[in-house]
Every structure is written in structure tokens, then in C-alpha cells.
Amino acid sequence: MERKRVIRTLITFSLLAALVAVIVVSQNRDPSNPHTSVSKDTWIHGPKGHGYAVLNNQQPWKQCYTCHEKKGLGGEAYCQSCHDQSGVKVDIPKKPS
């Protein structure tokens, strides 16, 4: 009888610890950010990161700007300020009129 009680107690504490771990990990994620599962360094410098997205998305006003503006970051000005800080010289595609 005592053995079953010890096993049940261990299982209960294990499940409680797992629940706490899931809650802590989930608090650090933003479900509306598609880049949240990738570290910032990998996103900026990785082979399937920012450069890949830019080369394969020549219409940032459709995808990037709207999301960045919703986050309060700004659109084209946000991209340009980051490029200026990092010393990157690029021409950001303009939205056709």
C-alpha cells in the first residue's frame, strides 16, 4: 500500500513540474510572431533567415510591413533604420502606386 502511495506522489509531482515547465516556456513565445521559434541571430544571419525572406519576397508591403506596423515597429522606416544601423546599403522595394 505504501509503495503505491509513493508512486502516485512521484507521478503527481512529475505532472505538476511538467505543467509548470509548459507554462513558463509558453510565456516566452509570441504566437503572432512567425519568427519567434528562431533565435534572433539565426533569423538575421542564418541561411533561411532574413536574407532568404528578402530575396524570395520582393513585395514587403504585403507581408512584412503590415505585421511590423501591427507590432508598433513601423513599416519601411523600420527596415531602413535597421539597415542603417548595420551598415547595409540596399534599395528597399517601393509599393507600386
Side-chain angles (χ1 to χ4, degrees):
M1 193 70 144
E2 185 64 30
R3 184 176 169 171
K4 287 183 180 182
R5 177 179 247 163
V6 170
I7 291 173
R8 278 188 279 169
T9 303
L10 284 174
I11 291 172
T12 301
F13 282 126
S14 297
L15 290 173
L16 185 60
L19 177 62
V20 169
V22 166
I23 291 171
V24 168
V25 169
S26 70
Q27 295 301 312
N28 296 332
R29 296 203 126 174
D30 181 1
S32 66
N33 183 351
H35 316 301
T36 195
S37 64
V38 182
S39 73
K40 184 176 182 180
D41 189 53
T42 301
W43 170 244
I44 297 296
H45 304 292
K48 292 280 189 169
H50 175 263
Y52 177 82
V54 169
L55 292 174
N56 289 292
N57 173 21
Q58 292 300 311
Q59 299 176 341
W61 57 88
K62 284 187 176 180
Q63 290 178 309
C64 306
Y65 295 167
T66 53
C67 184
H68 289 171
E69 287 168 356
K70 284 180 189 174
K71 295 285 183 191
L73 301 172
E76 186 176 341
Y78 172 72
C79 295
Q80 191 60 53
S81 69
C82 188
H83 291 161
D84 291 344
Q85 287 175 7
S86 60
V88 175
K89 302 292 181 210
V90 295
D91 292 324
I92 298 175
K94 305 287 186 213
K95 183 177 182 178
S97 4

